[in-house]
């Protein structure tokens, strides 16, 4: 099942049953005057609005569901992400740092786009908050473990019986939009300024340990979460307020 809605996520979520969704992977606008097609990224009620949105998402999640909320501190308010997540009815279970690296010739190198300033160093990373009902939902670390360096894998298996080790909470995930063409397919004002790398969505799914179920992205944008959900055999519900992004996500 794949469902797309063109509308305001708070309105659309009213139509969804409570305790229905297994996993939400999403990223809101950050209220930093980013140039979206139609959405104006400068709400006065931003923090209250965000708290209402994520509390509503939590209502729609099953009791053992997971919310992965990707958000970045802003220069106006470094504590903004914490003002949101510390006021939710559900609990923060893990905090991940997504280091927005660049992929050059197949290797992770350098950092994402950094504007020049006489005062401020640009943010090269973002938070991904893993939020669950009580902050202690079981996960299986096997699904997100990482291989040892091939050089040592054999030795480690002999000695300890392991070829892989658990992942940690900092992820070097290249920012695809820098080099890939998804963003170029949306022209002019319709260009989307903040697209997820697919790997970020895959990593959240791995951490949740879920193998099937319904994934929600209530700020769907260009539909990256839906694309990964489909590729991995999950059901998907996506909500996007902008008609052009919504059409693009459907096509994608
Ligand atoms: C940070 S972007 C998400 C990008 C997405 N992760 C992707 O990979 O393309 C946030 C999106 O939320 C949309 N949006 C803003 N307000 C919304 C609302 N009230 N309901 C649904 N979508 C909204 C914006 O148009 C924008 O596309």
């Amino acid at each position: 099942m794949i469902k797309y809605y063109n509308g305001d996520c708070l309105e659309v979520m009213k139509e969804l049953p409570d305790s229905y969704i297994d996993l939400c992977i999403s990223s809101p606008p950050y209220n930093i005057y980013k140039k979206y097609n139609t959405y104006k990224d400068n709400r006065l009620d931003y923090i209250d609005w965000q708290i209402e949105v994520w509390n509503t998402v939590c209502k729609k999640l099953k009791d053992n569901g997971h919310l992965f909320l990707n958000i970045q501190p802003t220069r106006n308010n470094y504590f903004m992400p914490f003002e949101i997540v510390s006021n939710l009815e559900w609990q923060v279970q893990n905090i991940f740092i997504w280091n927005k690296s660049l992929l050059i010739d197949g290797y992770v190198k350098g950092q994402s786009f950094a504007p020049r300033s006489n005062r401020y160093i640009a943010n090269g990373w973002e938070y991904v908050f893993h939020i669950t009902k009580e902050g202690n939902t079981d996960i299986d670390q096997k699904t997100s473990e990482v291989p040892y360096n091939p050089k040592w894998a054999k030795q480690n298996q002999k000695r300890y019986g392991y070829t892989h080790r658990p992942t940690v909470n900092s992820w070097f995930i290249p920012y695809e939009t820098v080099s890939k063409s998804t963003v170029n397919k949306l022209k002019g004002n319709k260009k989307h300024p903040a697209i997820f790398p697919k790997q970020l969505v895959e990593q959240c799914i791995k951490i949740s340990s879920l193998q099937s179920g319904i994934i929600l992205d209530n700020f769907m944008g260009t539909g990256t979460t839906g694309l990964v959900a489909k590729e991995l055999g999950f059901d998907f519900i996506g909500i996007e307020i902008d008609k052009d992004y919504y059409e693009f996500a459907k096509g994608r």
Side-chain angles (χ1 to χ4, degrees):
M1 180 264 294
I2 304 235
K3 276 191 184 161
Y4 296 105
Y5 295 89
N6 178 210
D8 172 67
C9 62
L10 274 174
E11 289 304 312
V12 174
M13 283 193 289
K14 281 186 196 156
E15 310 297 321
L16 302 177
D18 289 351
S19 308
Y20 177 59
I21 304 288
D22 295 278
L23 187 54
C24 174
I25 304 169
S26 195
S27 182
Y30 297 163
N31 226 33
I32 50 175
Y33 298 84
K34 263 224 189 277
K35 282 204 171 357
Y36 290 99
N37 187 29
T38 48
Y39 173 74
K40 299 277 172 275
D41 192 23
N42 55 350
R43 284 180 72 130
L44 290 175
D45 62 345
Y46 181 75
I47 302 258
D48 291 341
W49 172 58
Q50 282 294 293
I51 292 170
E52 189 183 354
V53 165
W54 302 116
N55 273 337
T56 306
V57 166
C58 293
K59 276 204 183 75
K60 302 299 158 186
L61 284 166
K62 294 176 182 166
D63 282 356
N64 59 351
H66 306 257
L67 162 60
F68 288 89
L69 165 54
N70 164 226
I71 197 162
Q72 185 190 298
T74 69
R75 204 161 287 152
N76 291 341
N77 181 359
Y78 275 106
F79 304 105
M80 176 270 275
F82 288 92
E83 284 182 24
I84 296 169
V85 299
S86 62
N87 282 297
L88 298 184
E89 283 155 26
W90 282 29
Q91 309 296 319
V92 174
Q93 179 160 334
N94 288 290
I95 300 178
F96 299 97
I97 298 290
W98 164 31
N99 190 326
K100 298 190 289 180
S101 31
L102 278 181
L103 196 65
I104 300 171
D105 297 336
Y107 290 95
V108 171
K109 287 185 189 166
Q111 61 204 25
S112 64
F113 169 73
R116 292 182 197 287
S117 154
N118 292 337
R119 292 182 182 156
Y120 303 111
I121 304 295
N123 221 49
W125 55 269
E126 301 196 6
Y127 288 115
V128 178
F129 292 97
H130 174 209
I131 293 166
T132 57
K133 188 165 186 190
E134 305 288 349
N136 60 5
T137 299
D138 282 347
I139 51 170
D140 177 0
Q141 289 211 0
K142 263 210 145 332
T143 53
S144 61
E145 63 187 8
V146 291
Y148 283 116
N149 180 332
K151 256 191 187 167
W152 310 118
K154 255 193 187 160
Q155 217 179 41
N156 279 322
Q157 183 161 34
K158 245 195 210 163
R159 265 201 210 155
Y160 311 115
Y162 297 124
T163 52
H164 289 62
R165 63 182 150 206
T167 191
V168 292
N169 61 4
S170 55
W171 303 338
F172 288 82
I173 297 183
Y175 202 54
E176 284 163 28
T177 51
V178 177
S179 55
K180 292 210 173 156
S181 58
T182 313
V183 80
N184 294 332
K185 290 182 193 148
L186 284 157
K187 301 285 182 211
N189 289 339
K190 293 179 191 162
K191 264 192 178 179
H192 198 291
I195 298 177
F196 270 162
K198 280 170 66 182
Q199 213 188 322
L200 185 81
V201 179
E202 287 159 5
Q203 185 69 356
C204 295
I205 295 175
K206 282 182 190 169
I207 296 286
S208 79
S209 320
L210 296 176
Q211 309 291 328
S212 62
I214 305 176
I215 300 182
L216 166 73
D217 187 348
N218 49 304
F219 292 106
M220 173 173 66
T222 60
T224 317
T225 305
L227 191 62
V228 176
K230 185 165 184 260
E231 282 172 3
L232 298 181
F234 284 81
D235 293 323
F236 177 71
I237 296 177
I239 310 170
E240 169 56 49
I241 203 163
D242 182 279
K243 184 101 173 91
D244 290 310
Y245 296 157
Y246 156 82
E247 292 293 350
F248 181 79
K250 275 205 307 186
R252 215 179 157 199

